[in-house]
Amino acid sequence: MMDSNMAQDQVVEENMENMDDEEESFFQDIDLLQNHGINAADIKKLKTSGICTIKGVQMTTRKRMCEIKGISEAKMEKIKEAAAKLEENGFMTALEYSVKRKNCFRITTGSVELDKLLGGGIESMAITEAFGEFRTGKTQLSHTLCVTSQLPGANGYPGGKVVILDTENTFRPDRLKDIADRFNLDHSAMLDNVLYARAYTSEHQHELLDFAAAKFHEEPGVFKLLIIDSIMALFRVDFSGRGELADRQQKLAQMLSKLQKISEEYNVAVFVTNQMTADPGAAMSFQADPKKPIGGHILAHASTTRLSLKKGRGETRIAKIFDSPDMPENEATFAISSGGIIDVKD
C-alpha cells in the first residue's frame, strides 16, 4: 500500500515538473542575452522597464528602447541583433501556429450559457471586453472570474492566480468570499491568489501593467488572468474635450498594445470592462440604441472579443457577442446571485 502511495506521489511530482518545463519553454528569458555579449547591467535596465523576455525585446520599438535610461542607440542595436538570433522571427505555417494555439486555455464565467456564447469561456492570449451601462453585471463578472480562474477546468486547465487593476474602487474582497462559498473554496487561500492594485491615473494604470508583466515573468505559468475594471474610466478623467482626444487615443492605443503583448507573451487571459456614452449624433441616424461603448475605434480594434451587456428583468442580464474573430453574433442570458454569475433559473 505504501509503495503505491509513493508511486502516486512520484507521478504527481513528475507531472508538475513536466508542466513547469512546458511553461518555462513558452517564453525565453531575457537573461539569455548574456550569452550574446549583452552585459547584466543593461539587461537589468530592460527588466525595470517591463521587458523581461526575448519576445518582449522584439515587441519593443527601437525608439521606445532608446528612451530607457542608460540604453544608447549602439546598445539598442546590439540588443536587437542578439534577440533576433535567439527568437525565430518571421513566418510559420498555419499548421505550426495551430499547434502553438493548443497552449490557449479558457476560463469559465460561472454560467454555462455564457460560456457557450464565448466558446468555452474567457480565452487566453486575447483581450475580452465587456461593456454596458451601470448595473449590467460587469464588476460582478470580474469578481466571479477572480474565483473561477482558480478552479481546475476543461482540457487540463490547472487553475491559477489573478491580477486585478481597479480604477473605480469597486473591488470588494468580501464579495469574493461569497463566490468562494459557492465553489467550496478556502477564503484565505483564494484571496491569497488574487493580486490587487488600485490605479489612480491613466499613467499609473500603464505603470502597473509593467509591474504585472514583471510578476508574470517572476512566476511563469502561475498567473492565468489579468482583469482591468474599468479600462477607460481614468482616461475619461485625465483627458477632457475634443482638444485632448487625439492625445488620449494615442496613450490608450499604447496601453492596449501593451495589454495584447502581455497576453501573448505570458499566455494569460485579459478581461477588461468598459463604460458607455450617449451618442449625440444617433438621433439623426434613427439608431435604435443611442448609447455606444467609449474608447472609439482604437479600443474596438484592440479587443479580440467584445461582449455587450444589457439589463433584463430582475437579476437577469443579457450578453451579446458584439465582435469576435471566431464566434457568431449570438445572445445568452445569465443571472447575478450571491454566488456570482449563474445561469437563469426557469
Side-chain angles (χ1 to χ4, degrees), residues 45-64:
K45 285 169 196 164
L46 293 176
K47 280 185 177 176
T48 51
S49 303
I51 305 166
C52 306
T53 67
I54 302 299
K55 208 173 192 179
V57 173
Q58 285 189 315
M59 287 173 170
T60 309
T61 61
R62 284 173 157 76
K63 183 184 171 190
R64 156 101 171 77

Side-chain angles (χ1 to χ4, degrees), residues 166-185:
D166 181 11
T167 65
E168 297 177 327
N169 195 25
T170 51
F171 179 73
R172 300 288 179 271
D174 288 345
R175 185 76 189 92
L176 294 187
K177 289 178 185 175
D178 294 338
I179 300 166
D181 288 338
R182 172 185 162 195
F183 298 104
N184 300 320
L185 294 178

Side-chain angles (χ1 to χ4, degrees), residues 58 80 83-92:
Q58 285 189 315
K80 280 279 187 188
K85 284 178 192 166
L86 283 165
E87 184 78 32
E88 294 171 20
N89 54 353
F91 291 91
M92 62 172 79

Side-chain angles (χ1 to χ4, degrees), residues 107-110 140-152 157 159-162 171-187 190-191 193-194 225 227 339-340:
I107 297 167
T108 175
T109 58
Q140 296 305 318
L141 187 50
S142 302
H143 279 74
T144 307
L145 285 167
C146 279
V147 179
T148 57
S149 59
Q150 299 182 37
L151 302 165
Y157 170 66
K161 291 185 179 181
V162 187
F171 179 73
R172 300 288 179 271
D174 288 345
R175 185 76 189 92
L176 294 187
K177 289 178 185 175
D178 294 338
I179 300 166
D181 288 338
R182 172 185 162 195
F183 298 104
N184 300 320
L185 294 178
D186 176 63
H187 289 184
M190 179 273 300
L191 291 172
N193 287 333
V194 180
L225 178 66
I227 298 172

Side-chain angles (χ1 to χ4, degrees), residues 10-78:
Q10 211 169 347
V11 169
V12 170
E13 275 173 31
E14 278 172 19
N15 286 348
M16 287 296 284
E17 277 170 27
N18 290 344
M19 265 175 63
D20 287 348
D21 289 345
E22 277 174 36
E23 294 294 355
E24 282 291 346
S25 64
F26 189 79
F27 60 80
Q28 291 179 290
D29 200 297
I30 201 165
D31 290 334
L32 291 171
L33 290 177
Q34 281 192 35
N35 307 336
H36 291 260
I38 309 297
N39 66 46
D42 289 339
I43 290 172
K44 197 176 176 192
K45 285 169 196 164
L46 293 176
K47 280 185 177 176
T48 51
S49 303
I51 305 166
C52 306
T53 67
I54 302 299
K55 208 173 192 179
V57 173
Q58 285 189 315
M59 287 173 170
T60 309
T61 61
R62 284 173 157 76
K63 183 184 171 190
R64 156 101 171 77
M65 205 177 277
C66 285
E67 285 168 7
I68 297 168
K69 201 175 174 187
I71 302 288
S72 63
E73 202 165 327
K75 274 182 185 172
M76 174 273 295
E77 286 296 349
K78 202 176 171 190

